[in-house]
Amino acid sequence: MPSSPLRVAVVCSSNQNRSMEAHNILSKRGFSVRSFGTGTHVKLPGPAPDKPNVYDFKTTYDQMYNDLLRKDKELYTQNGILHMLDRNKRIKPRPERFQNCRDLFDLILTCEERVYDQVVEDLNSREQETCQPVHVINVDIQDNHEEATLGAFLICELCQFSTPRTWRTRSMSCFRSLRRRAAEPSCTRSASTDPPGRAPGAPPTLLKLSF
């Protein structure tokens, strides 16, 4: 169990695989966690690389599950999509888009560079209300089931090192510890909005950590 109420968000593109695997593990460890996607639509693998299954973010996991079950039960059972959706619907009803959420978080973890950029861009576009710092960390995770599981455990370990009060002093040793355990990512990017006094509209402080 975490020693303090760290408010965590995990973000990938479609809120299906990587962010939901981390959501699942973090929630089981007692963290206050939510998960999101940043895409305009939810995309799942289809019968061919150029024929994905595309859904609106308002579509529930259960509706996606039943749709793919009807389309090709054997294919989507074999590639693990039905199993993934079954897990997802046990966690929450539907995918959520980060840009539509206004909740406050202490730590936002993204699963790829493009998603990281979209999250930071969205945060910078918002009107400053509380001037509360938020730390945004990118951990590159390949979008497959095996890497999602590995990435989720790395994210969990990162969160276990972190509390709202100790983040700045312990983050570097935490990143080094995680780096020794995995070959990827070779570089982790982080951003944090500055504390009160930051000019409205100014970009967050950026830190690039290389190992």
Side-chain angles (χ1 to χ4, degrees):
M1 295 287 289
S3 60
S4 64
L6 187 74
R7 296 166 297 180
V8 181
V10 188
V11 192
C12 65
S13 181
S14 292
N15 198 196
Q16 292 284 349
N17 182 32
R18 296 165 293 179
S19 61
M20 287 299 287
E21 180 68 17
H23 187 155
N24 186 38
I25 291 176
L26 288 172
S27 63
K28 289 179 178 178
R29 301 290 176 87
F31 285 94
S32 174
V33 57
R34 292 185 64 186
S35 60
F36 303 92
T38 56
T40 54
H41 293 87
V42 172
K43 293 183 179 181
L44 291 172
D50 60 341
K51 296 180 179 179
N53 293 284
V54 181
Y55 302 97
D56 188 274
F57 268 87
K58 295 179 181 179
T59 308
T60 67
Y61 292 121
D62 191 55
Q63 289 171 328
M64 298 177 199
Y65 181 94
N66 290 327
D67 181 52
L68 297 183
L69 190 67
R70 176 183 55 82
K71 287 180 176 178
D72 193 332
K73 179 180 179 180
E74 182 177 357
L75 170 64
Y76 297 113
T77 298
Q78 184 177 10
N79 65 14
I81 299 299
L82 290 179
H83 177 75
M84 179 187 72
L85 289 170
D86 185 60
R87 175 206 62 196
N88 292 354
K89 66 182 182 179
R90 297 174 189 272
I91 297 172
K92 62 180 185 178
R94 59 173 54 82
E96 298 173 87
R97 194 164 183 261
F98 178 79
Q99 292 89 332
N100 297 334
C101 177
R102 290 298 180 267
D103 290 354
L104 299 179
F105 299 100
D106 300 300
L107 180 61
I108 301 173
L109 295 135
T110 61
C111 300
E112 66 176 276
E113 188 105 355
R114 177 173 58 88
V115 173
Y116 169 92
D117 291 336
Q118 291 171 331
V119 167
V120 172
E121 180 181 11
D122 180 71
L123 291 175
N124 280 330
S125 71
R126 300 183 183 185
E127 182 179 352
Q128 296 295 316
E129 296 179 355
T130 65
C131 291
Q132 176 180 324
V134 58
H135 306 282
V136 184
I137 309 295
N138 183 61
V139 180
D140 281 314
I141 304 171
Q142 294 182 39
D143 195 4
N144 61 60
H145 301 305
E146 294 77 13
E147 293 298 324
T149 300
L150 174 61
F153 280 107
L154 293 177
I155 285 174
C156 185
E157 185 168 354
L158 173 59
C159 291
Q160 289 172 332
F161 271 88
S162 310
T163 69
R165 292 184 179 181
T166 64
W167 169 256
R168 290 183 183 275
T169 57
R170 301 184 68 180
S171 59
M172 285 299 296
S173 61
C174 177
F175 281 128
R176 292 192 181 103
S177 174
L178 295 180
R179 182 69 188 105
R180 287 194 295 268
R181 289 169 168 78
E184 295 294 339
S186 59
C187 175
T188 301
R189 293 179 60 195
S190 84
S192 60
T193 58
D194 293 333
R198 171 175 173 260
T205 301
L206 296 178
L207 175 64
K208 188 173 184 179
L209 304 174
S210 300
F211 305 93

